[in-house]
Amino acid sequence: AQKITQTQPGMFVQEKEAVTLDCTYDTSDQSYGLFWYKQPSSGEMIFLIYQGSYDEQNATEGRYSLNFQKARKSANLVISASQLGDSAMYFCAMRERQNNDMRFGAGTRLTVKP
Amino acid sequence: DSGVTQTPKHLITATGQRVTLRCSPRSGDLSVYWYQQSLDQGLQFLIQYYNGEERAKGNILERFSAQQFPDLHSELNLSSLELGDSALYFCASSASGTALYNEQFFGPGTRLTVL
């Protein structure tokens, strides 16, 4: 069964505006971690932000914030003040305590327009 | 630069052949992870080693095997290659083996093309 769902194959945003990339997940584990990675066209995977299932505050890292809604099992990435360099694939991932592996979503391709 | 190195960067081979991909983790990291990224399957976790021992197994085919050596570098062996094995293979490393907050640093990947 698909554990991580990213429903937006592609998104467009105007430079300097904010954008939200959706991610929903499925788990019966009470203890898990949620991650967002960025993959530019050059191919490398860049870690952006992490949210633990027991964290009460939404995670923030610079222009990135994670809108964590535990009851809805969603972990949306919000990028504020988009820059042209933000154009990339974005992957949501989950690591469960019981499984110890990392499951990735299909990704969302974000294009920032000048 | 994540500090994780992978060699070779590109590999072109024929069906039925065997190849070895190599990964050196960041200095001090004990865990190594292998991932396969293909157009049809997306990014899939293959296997994790922690300090020389297998820690977690994902969607790794029986034709594939991996190991982590005492110096912590890891190799992924792919045998009896098929066209569908063409993909980008990532190695990642982390300091911990089981901590949930386990930031993984990815290498640049090895692009494997099977003809």
Side-chain angles (χ1 to χ4, degrees):
Chain A
Q2 188 64 269
K3 293 217 169 191
I4 300 286
T5 303
Q6 293 180 255
T7 57
Q8 306 152 315
M11 287 281 286
F12 291 88
V13 65
Q14 209 64 38
E15 195 179 6
K16 298 180 187 174
E17 293 189 349
V19 63
T20 298
L21 307 184
D22 294 342
C23 173
T24 57
Y25 58 92
D26 181 30
T27 181
S28 57
D29 201 338
Q30 295 301 307
S31 186
Y32 53 90
L34 297 157
F35 303 77
W36 277 91
Y37 283 85
K38 172 184 178 181
Q39 187 177 37
S41 56
S42 51
E44 74 268 32
M45 296 287 286
I46 302 167
F47 167 77
L48 295 178
I49 196 166
Y50 167 83
Q51 180 85 42
S53 58
Y54 292 115
D55 294 341
E56 294 184 356
Q57 303 280 343
N58 284 343
T60 59
E61 286 288 346
R63 294 185 300 109
Y64 304 108
S65 61
L66 203 151
N67 184 0
F68 181 46
Q69 298 186 45
K70 194 170 181 177
R72 298 178 64 182
K73 293 188 176 176
S74 76
N76 298 338
L77 177 71
V78 180
I79 305 174
S80 63
S82 296
Q83 302 172 355
L84 295 178
D86 294 334
S87 293
M89 280 290 284
Y90 288 81
F91 292 95
C92 178
M94 176 175 66
R95 183 187 177 103
E96 296 167 299
R97 171 69 73 191
Q98 61 188 1
N99 281 336
N100 207 36
D101 63 1
M102 189 93 110
R103 303 289 183 99
F104 286 81
T108 295
R109 181 169 297 283
L110 177 67
T111 303
V112 180
K113 294 182 172 181
Chain B
D1 185 349
S2 67
V4 179
T5 60
Q6 288 187 250
T7 56
K9 197 163 186 174
H10 301 278
L11 197 48
I12 301 174
T13 188
T15 54
Q17 295 297 306
R18 173 190 166 95
V19 297
T20 297
L21 313 183
R22 184 189 168 103
C23 168
S24 293
R26 288 189 326 154
S27 177
D29 283 357
L30 298 179
S31 265
V32 169
Y33 307 77
W34 286 98
Y35 294 89
Q36 179 195 59
Q37 186 177 31
S38 61
L39 282 174
D40 53 345
Q41 300 281 343
L43 193 57
Q44 290 204 90
F45 166 72
L46 296 179
I47 197 163
Q48 176 201 358
Y49 278 84
Y50 177 74
N51 205 19
E53 294 192 5
E54 184 182 304
R55 180 59 63 94
K57 212 165 186 175
N59 299 322
I60 187 165
L61 300 172
E62 282 191 16
R63 299 183 286 110
F64 297 179
S65 65
Q67 54 183 329
Q68 186 179 28
F69 295 86
D71 67 352
L72 300 177
H73 91 271
S74 177
E75 291 181 357
L76 179 67
N77 300 297
L78 315 176
S79 61
S80 303
L81 285 167
E82 301 175 0
L83 296 177
D85 297 327
S86 294
L88 186 56
Y89 290 84
F90 283 109
C91 166
S93 76
S94 69
S96 166
T98 56
L100 270 181
Y101 177 49
N102 196 11
E103 182 180 342
Q104 296 182 19
F105 295 86
F106 281 72
T110 292
R111 179 157 308 274
L112 172 67
T113 303
V114 182
L115 301 175

